[in-house]
Amino acid sequence: MKQHQHILVSLGSAPKQGPGSLIIIDRHLKRLPSSWQISIVAPEESFADTNMPDSWQLLSIPMRRWWWPPYRRQIPRLLETRFLCWQMECEKIFLRERPTAIVTVLHDIYSVFAAYLSKIWQVPLSVIVHDQEELWAKSELEYHWIKRNWQAVLNQATRVWPVSSELANTYNIMDTSKVSILLPIPEGRQQKFVEWKDKFKTSPVVAYAGSIYPSQVSSFYKIASLLEKINGTLLLVTPLNRPGIPDLINNCPNIEHRELFATNVEVINFLAEKASCILVPYPLDLAEHPWAATCFPSKLVEFSHLGLPAIILAPLDTALGNWAIRHKWDSYLTNMDEEMLLEILYELTEKEKWTKMANQCQRVSQWEFNPELIQSQFESELAVISKINGLVKQSIN
């Protein structure tokens, strides 16, 4: 008899298109076999304007009900009382049957709730870790709250999926056997890799898609200036309403701007048509952006499937920098060395050197960044945990 498998995903927002962790979860869940029952617990308002399969069970948590006691997350007793209220909301749906696995992304209060349910229901917890959220804390109190509760979540977990070994090391997880590096799963692409075009020789287009931090604007000025020397264009797919971006575009005639697309597939198809190279820049000042030391860019995993060369800009001793060094990446820079960058840009106009750089992306897209392999890891590790939990419950009953 086939073991019943039911995954409950606890998130601060429903899975959906866009940047960040939510689309990663969305892709993993939509790739699960039909034998898996999928339930999502998230805030009620986050389910608006989402596109989820009808087969998914949605547990929408309201902001409050009139009979719920007041809630302050910094006060443990009040937090636990609110979790009890949320637990009762979930149990209205589940009745006697519980999930066989709980999954969350270490990001917000719903991660802590996932650990609470895991402990109360005795259901194994798997935690995806993409960032050090405590680094964005707005106060000392919030920082310590996150550090304390994140550690409790990770201690409760049966499986921890950090995006890099550097990120795993920051949390000092004592039981290393439950840690497994899980890269962000890309959309993947069925079409052929982008091939060399003669126009790359005379008018290369280096493309960047995503948000730009104010500290990065000066680097984009330099890149645009260097591209101008070889009749090149800097293509930016980024929000216009960010500090420094309007001036950057107005002051650099060889910048082409496009607002963000509604879906990731649209971005990929647009870049396939327009770009001759992808730019993956991380902030160079780790004192200002300490998160850059441990996270790994999903855009590199995503856009490698175009098969275009990728220029990586990242400091040494970061997860991305260490990855580039391990892979002997031809177009990797640790700083804005204009001479070295200009040399790489010139190489983009030579078919043989362009092809050599493109081949690097093509290789990693088929192996390390292959969505089927990443999904296989997710499913196999989740299934083992779920199956063990099911067998244990059967033996008890």
Side-chain angles (χ1 to χ4, degrees):
M1 180 177 176
K2 191 166 184 179
Q3 179 64 40
H4 170 70
Q5 294 173 318
H6 179 184
I7 180 175
L8 171 68
V9 183
S10 177
L11 299 167
S13 183
K16 60 182 179 181
Q17 283 283 328
S21 301
L22 295 177
I23 191 170
I24 303 300
I25 283 288
D26 189 64
R27 289 168 179 170
H28 278 305
L29 296 181
K30 285 178 178 174
R31 284 172 165 85
L32 281 175
S34 58
S35 57
W36 276 91
Q37 182 180 342
I38 297 171
S39 298
I40 310 291
V41 57
E44 187 175 54
E45 64 275 11
S46 74
F47 287 107
D49 301 321
T50 56
N51 181 24
M52 287 177 282
D54 294 337
S55 60
W56 291 10
Q57 189 167 234
L58 309 182
L59 290 76
S60 57
I61 303 296
M63 283 289 291
R64 63 166 291 112
R65 297 198 186 280
W66 67 263
W67 61 89
W68 287 2
Y71 156 62
R72 294 290 183 276
R73 73 174 193 173
Q74 291 84 3
I75 303 175
R77 185 59 61 87
L78 292 181
L79 178 61
E80 191 167 336
T81 303
R82 179 53 58 95
F83 282 171
L84 176 60
C85 295
W86 290 359
Q87 176 192 344
M88 292 168 66
E89 293 287 320
C90 293
E91 290 177 350
K92 288 179 187 177
I93 305 295
F94 293 136
L95 300 175
R96 294 182 180 179
E97 183 182 326
R98 301 286 183 260
T100 55
I102 297 174
V103 172
T104 191
V105 177
L106 198 60
H107 180 70
D108 52 32
I109 195 70
Y110 277 79
S111 314
V112 189
F113 180 54
Y116 167 88
L117 287 180
S118 171
K119 187 174 182 179
I120 294 293
W121 289 347
Q122 289 297 289
V123 173
L125 172 67
S126 296
V127 181
I128 294 174
V129 190
H130 285 154
D131 297 291
Q132 291 177 262
E133 292 296 330
E134 66 273 14
L135 297 178
W136 284 279
K138 296 176 182 176
S139 68
E140 195 75 14
L141 183 65
E142 183 182 9
Y143 176 86
H144 289 297
W145 185 92
I146 293 173
K147 287 288 285 184
R148 182 176 67 254
N149 282 278
W150 269 210
Q151 203 61 56
V153 173
L154 296 173
N155 289 343
Q156 176 63 29
T158 302
R159 172 69 68 193
V160 179
W161 282 312
V163 77
S164 71
S165 57
E166 290 82 1
L167 183 55
N169 293 338
T170 63
Y171 288 111
N172 300 315
I173 299 168
M174 301 303 293
D175 183 2
T176 56
S177 65
K178 68 182 183 182
V179 177
S180 178
I181 306 305
L182 183 69
L183 290 170
I185 186 169
E187 181 71 35
R189 194 165 179 268
Q190 300 303 317
Q191 295 96 324
K192 292 180 180 179
F193 293 127
V194 177
E195 296 178 346
W196 167 267
K197 300 180 180 69
D198 287 339
K199 65 180 180 180
F200 294 170
K201 186 173 183 178
T202 55
S203 51
V205 177
V206 174
Y208 172 80
S211 296
I212 297 174
Y213 292 94
S215 64
Q216 293 179 293
V217 172
S218 61
S219 295
F220 281 90
Y221 268 109
K222 289 180 182 178
I223 294 167
S225 174
L226 293 174
L227 275 168
E228 205 166 17
K229 295 177 185 293
I230 59 171
N231 194 40
T233 298
L234 178 58
L235 173 61
L236 299 179
V237 182
T238 192
L240 188 60
N241 61 347
R242 299 295 171 89
I245 303 305
D247 287 341
L248 171 66
I249 293 169
N250 291 333
N251 292 329
C252 299
N254 65 326
I255 288 182
E256 180 182 340
H257 173 257
R258 175 68 164 79
E259 277 289 341
L260 296 178
F261 289 84
T263 67
N264 292 56
V265 172
E266 289 176 274
V267 180
I268 294 168
N269 292 338
F270 176 74
L271 295 179
E273 179 184 344
K274 291 278 192 177
S276 58
C277 172
I278 300 299
L279 179 65
V280 184
Y282 257 25
L284 297 176
D285 185 353
L286 292 181
E288 185 175 350
H289 301 280
W291 55 265
T294 58
C295 64
F296 195 84
S298 58
K299 59 172 57 69
L300 176 60
V301 183
E302 187 82 77
F303 298 144
S304 70
H305 289 265
L306 292 166
L308 291 167
I311 297 174
I312 296 175
L313 180 61
L316 292 169
D317 297 323
T318 61
L320 178 55
N322 293 338
W323 183 92
I325 289 170
R326 286 197 305 273
H327 289 74
K328 297 182 170 67
W329 206 254
D330 290 333
S331 46
Y332 167 52
L333 292 171
T334 62
N335 55 58
M336 281 302 299
D337 185 314
E338 295 188 25
E339 186 177 335
M340 291 181 64
L341 178 55
L342 185 58
E343 183 180 340
I344 291 172
L345 295 177
Y346 270 119
E347 288 178 349
L348 292 174
T349 65
E350 301 176 30
K351 182 177 180 180
E352 185 178 342
K353 292 179 179 178
W354 181 95
T355 302
K356 184 172 179 285
M357 289 188 283
N359 284 341
Q360 284 192 304
C361 269
Q362 293 169 17
R363 283 194 296 271
V364 295
S365 74
Q366 292 174 315
W367 294 102
E368 192 174 356
F369 297 164
N370 186 325
E372 292 182 7
L373 295 179
I374 295 172
Q375 178 68 10
S376 177
Q377 177 193 345
F378 175 82
E379 283 183 28
S380 62
E381 294 178 5
L382 184 66
V384 168
I385 294 169
S386 180
K387 185 175 181 181
I388 290 173
N389 179 57
L391 292 173
V392 168
K393 289 191 173 181
Q394 281 183 358
S395 66
I396 292 173
N397 296 334

